[in-house]
Amino acid sequence: GQNIDQPTEMTATEGAIVQINCTYQTSGFNGLFWYQQHAGEAPTFLSYNVLDGLEEKGRFSSFLSRSKGYSYLLLKELQMKDSASYLCAVPDISGSARQLTFGSGTQLTVLP
Amino acid sequence: ETGVTQTPRHLVMGMTNKKSLKCEQHLGHNAMYWYKQSAKKPLELMFVYSLEERVENNSVPSRFSPECPNSSHLFLHLHTLQPEDSALYLCASSQVIGETNTGELFFGEGSRLTVL
């Protein structure tokens, strides 16, 4: 089975840097996704990591360590619009390979 | 239209009603999904249609029944629902490559369901 853990809530200040952690336990591994979801809107794709290391995409970076079952999303130069829920997800390859299992999400609040 | 579109965006129904949610994807993907999102809970996969195969979460009650007439359209038929079924129902699509590559999910805006 799959198990994904991430903090429920985080608060940070505009202009700061915040790191959102995700730990996972899976029977196999086929990459890890991060999604952003603003209140009342659909989740949108942020990143996909399948190899260890840091991948940078503008103000957002995502890190993966497969040996530790650990990932984080790093948000730099925070803006008010970054207030949202951040979802960590891993593909389930134990049965059907065609589905993602999501964590509960981390609600980030950016304060002025 | 582009992306994944869902209708209706909001639905209020009684427990004895029968209604359907509709989803259409304009991305040429070969897999479509229904997810349920309840407050403070993870996104819960309900059904997958991928490469003409249907996969379902065994915990989903039979009062939810999906229909996928083709690769671009997906329905969720609702009947005799319970108040605890009130949630946001999200449709998504992706391009599946082989057995293990799910590809990125593209979500619709969701259908907010309230069961009275």
Side-chain angles (χ1 to χ4, degrees):
Chain A
Q2 314 274 96
N3 189 35
I4 300 173
D5 290 308
Q6 48 181 136
T8 304
E9 296 176 327
M10 296 185 72
T11 303
T13 306
E14 196 173 14
I17 299 174
V18 71
Q19 178 175 311
I20 302 175
N21 297 324
C22 171
T23 57
Y24 62 89
Q25 295 88 41
T26 60
S27 55
F29 183 76
N30 192 36
L32 184 142
F33 292 81
W34 282 98
Y35 283 80
Q36 179 191 59
Q37 186 177 23
H38 286 101
E41 298 182 11
T44 56
F45 170 81
L46 287 178
S47 66
Y48 174 63
N49 293 66
V50 66
L51 300 176
D52 291 348
L54 184 68
E55 295 206 6
E56 299 186 59
K57 191 186 295 184
R59 293 188 300 113
F60 291 10
S61 302
S62 55
F63 172 84
L64 175 67
S65 169
R66 289 173 294 173
S67 62
K68 296 181 179 179
Y70 168 68
S71 173
Y72 67 73
L73 185 67
L74 191 70
L75 290 73
K76 302 177 183 177
E77 302 169 18
L78 280 174
Q79 302 175 9
M80 299 296 289
K81 67 179 182 179
D82 297 330
S83 292
S85 181
Y86 291 86
L87 310 173
C88 176
V90 292
D92 182 354
I93 64 172
S94 60
S96 163
R98 307 176 189 91
Q99 55 181 290
L100 286 184
T101 298
F102 285 84
S104 299
T106 299
Q107 183 63 47
L108 173 67
T109 302
V110 180
L111 301 174
Chain B
E1 294 199 47
T2 58
V4 181
T5 55
Q6 290 186 240
T7 55
R9 293 294 308 279
H10 299 274
L11 177 63
V12 179
M13 58 187 290
M15 290 190 286
T16 58
N17 292 156
K18 290 184 180 180
K19 298 285 184 182
S20 296
L21 306 181
K22 178 183 176 182
C23 177
E24 184 174 359
Q25 60 101 357
H26 309 271
L27 301 168
H29 288 161
N30 59 9
M32 295 188 76
Y33 310 76
W34 280 115
Y35 278 88
K36 177 183 178 182
Q37 188 172 39
S38 303
K40 307 296 184 184
K41 291 184 178 180
L43 277 166
E44 176 189 355
L45 179 69
M46 300 177 74
F47 302 101
V48 182
Y49 280 86
S50 176
L51 303 174
E52 300 183 2
E53 177 187 358
R54 169 177 147 181
V55 177
E56 57 189 88
N57 181 339
N58 291 331
S59 68
V60 176
S62 59
R63 54 185 183 268
F64 295 90
S65 59
E67 178 189 358
C68 189
N70 54 61
S71 61
S72 299
H73 294 85
L74 184 65
F75 296 89
L76 187 63
H77 302 301
L78 317 169
H79 60 98
T80 59
L81 294 191
Q82 303 298 309
E84 60 264 30
D85 297 323
S86 298
L88 180 67
Y89 289 85
L90 289 162
C91 174
S93 71
S94 74
Q95 185 64 19
V96 172
I97 305 170
E99 285 294 316
T100 58
N101 188 339
T102 61
E104 169 192 345
L105 284 178
F106 290 80
F107 286 89
E109 294 294 323
S111 295
R112 174 70 63 185
L113 173 66
T114 302
V115 182
L116 302 176

